[in-house]
């Protein structure tokens, strides 16, 4: 199965690799209270609290641009003021190359907001119905689904992921989300295991093994058949054998980290992500 998935990726993606970079722009208690997230309001586990200014985000992006990367993501907690993300989007858009996509990773929003995001320069949105939504989180599945529809109707590209996968999730649960993604005709797909973050309610449940995640990546890649890229998160070497051709570099706040500046701990830099991709024979789209 791994070989079939890898061969499919090589054939479809033409050995093209991608690195996406994400800035978590605020470290703050989040009211959605995901039981796996270090920023849940009821169990906040990060080492500090802060919010980057528009100027700081622009400066950080200019620093990151010294290394080549493709799509650029801005991530916030679910209650971050949406008008502020619009302003930030407009500010960073002119700092990106013409071929770089600008992607938002925020809380739920409606169609008018989706239209505003597109007008502000965003080209896509990362949004999902997470495993055991409303049980392990305080988000409502119907609101997640409404946002997914708004993203599509506004003409934004939807980035999707099966996550956060833990040892307690059945294959039936995973299959339901894989089918959902397949029906959405995803261009960029991912599978992500839940990281056991100390201080969070799900810490004691642990996390799935690297081989198990690799197997799920292969099944997801074959079933969803994304048109542009397949990702595994967080990056691990063995999962590259399942046809992964896209990885994330992360700076700032990261819900899988207790260090509020994840680039100092769990987060990959663009350069390190490229090293892993090149080690498995994937090359960037630029020369």
């Amino acid at each position: 199965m791994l070989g079939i998935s890898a061969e499919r990726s090589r054939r479809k993606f033409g050995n093209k690799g991608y690195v996406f970079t994400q800035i978590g722009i605020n470290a703050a208690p989040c009211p959605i209270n995901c039981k796996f997230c270090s920023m849940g309001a009821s169990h906040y586990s990060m080492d500090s609290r802060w919010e980057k200014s528009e100027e700081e985000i622009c400066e950080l992006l200019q620093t990151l641009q010294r290394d080549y990367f493709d799509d650029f993501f801005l991530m916030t907690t679910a209650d971050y003021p949406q008008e502020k993300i619009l302003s930030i989007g407009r500010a960073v858009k002119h700092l990106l190359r013409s071929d770089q996509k600008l992607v938002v990773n925020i809380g739920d929003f409606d169609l008018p907001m989706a239209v505003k995001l597109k007008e502000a320069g965003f080209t896509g949105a990362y949004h999902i119905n997470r495993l055991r939504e409303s049980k392990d989180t305080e988000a409502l599945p119907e609101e997640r689904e409404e946002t997914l529809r708004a993203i599509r109707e506004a003409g934004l590209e939807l980035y999707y992921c099966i996550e956060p996968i833990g040892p307690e999730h059945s294959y039936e649960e995973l299959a339901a989300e894989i089918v959902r993604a397949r029906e959405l005709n995803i261009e960029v797909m991912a599978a992500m295991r839940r990281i056991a973050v100390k201080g969070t309610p799900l810490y004691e449940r642990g996390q799935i093994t690297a081989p198990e995640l690799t197997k799920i990546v292969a099944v997801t890649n074959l079933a969803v058949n994304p048109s542009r890229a397949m990702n595994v998160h967080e990056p691990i070497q063995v999962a590259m054998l399942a046809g992964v051709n896209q990885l994330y570099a992360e700076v700032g706040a990261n819900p899988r980290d207790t260090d509020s500046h994840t680039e100092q701990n769990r987060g990959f830099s663009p350069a390190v992500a490229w090293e892993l991709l090149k080690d498995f024979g994937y090359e960037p789209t630029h020369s």
Side-chain angles (χ1 to χ4, degrees):
M1 180 175 59
L2 296 186
I4 295 172
S5 179
E7 192 278 330
R8 175 224 168 267
S9 288
R10 299 286 180 186
R11 184 180 66 253
K12 188 156 191 174
F13 305 142
N15 286 337
K16 290 180 180 177
Y18 296 90
V19 170
F20 298 166
T21 294
Q22 176 169 270
I23 299 178
I25 66 177
N26 70 319
C30 179
I32 299 300
N33 261 330
C34 298
K35 295 179 181 178
F36 43 80
C37 176
S38 58
M39 290 187 280
S42 66
H43 51 268
Y44 191 79
S45 307
M46 279 196 170
D47 56 7
S48 61
R49 303 182 185 193
W50 47 258
E51 177 183 331
K52 292 185 182 298
S53 68
E54 193 170 291
E55 292 73 20
E56 287 173 323
I57 294 166
C58 288
E59 289 176 7
L60 179 54
L61 172 56
Q62 288 175 304
T63 300
L64 290 167
Q65 289 281 52
R66 295 171 187 167
D67 288 326
Y68 183 90
F69 61 90
D70 300 285
D71 304 11
F72 176 62
F73 288 60
L74 292 171
M75 182 182 69
T76 72
T77 53
D79 60 342
Y80 189 83
Q82 294 184 344
E83 290 300 319
K84 289 178 73 172
I85 201 69
L86 294 173
S87 177
I88 294 169
R90 287 188 287 266
V92 303
K93 182 67 175 178
H94 75 280
L95 299 175
L96 298 174
R97 301 188 314 270
S98 60
D99 62 308
Q100 281 179 305
K101 298 187 177 186
L102 178 58
V103 188
V104 70
N105 183 355
I106 59 176
D108 286 299
F109 51 88
D110 57 16
L111 180 56
M113 179 60 186
V115 172
K116 288 181 181 179
L117 286 166
K118 189 171 184 181
E119 291 172 346
F122 289 95
T123 60
Y126 177 89
H127 211 80
I128 58 170
N129 187 69
R130 290 165 294 210
L131 293 165
R132 302 194 181 180
E133 199 79 86
S134 81
K135 295 179 181 177
D136 289 342
T137 77
E138 293 183 22
L140 299 176
E142 53 268 31
E143 292 182 357
R144 305 296 285 179
E145 291 167 5
E146 180 184 343
T147 303
L148 294 175
R149 287 192 294 271
I151 291 167
R152 287 301 201 194
E153 289 179 28
L156 294 167
E157 181 180 353
L158 174 62
Y159 295 67
Y160 209 78
C161 182
I162 308 302
E163 62 115 316
I165 306 166
E168 72 276 17
H169 295 127
S170 67
Y171 288 148
E172 288 76 15
E173 287 178 276
L174 301 184
E177 289 308 314
I178 289 173
V179 169
R180 185 198 302 274
R182 184 174 64 190
E183 293 174 346
L184 289 168
N185 297 315
I186 299 298
E187 295 180 29
V188 177
M189 188 62 200
M192 184 178 81
R193 64 176 169 178
R194 186 180 70 234
I195 299 300
V197 181
K198 210 164 192 178
T200 62
L202 296 185
Y203 171 73
E204 297 297 336
R205 292 188 184 176
Q207 58 192 59
I208 63 173
T209 64
E212 178 70 2
L213 177 58
T214 303
K215 179 172 66 176
I216 294 168
V217 168
V219 171
T220 302
N221 188 34
L222 291 170
V224 177
N225 193 26
S227 60
R228 183 157 69 105
M230 183 67 205
N231 164 265
V232 66
H233 207 62
E234 295 172 344
I236 53 172
Q237 281 192 320
V238 66
M240 302 298 294
L241 297 172
V244 168
N245 74 319
Q246 183 262 309
L247 299 173
Y248 279 95
E250 295 179 283
V251 299
N254 173 353
R256 299 171 311 283
D257 205 342
T258 55
D259 189 327
S260 64
H261 299 283
T262 194
E263 65 273 19
Q264 301 173 1
N265 193 30
R266 301 194 67 89
F268 275 44
S269 69
V272 171
W274 278 122
E275 285 178 12
L276 183 53
L277 282 166
K278 290 178 180 178
D279 199 34
F280 282 84
Y282 290 101
E283 294 296 332
T285 53
H286 70 297
S287 58

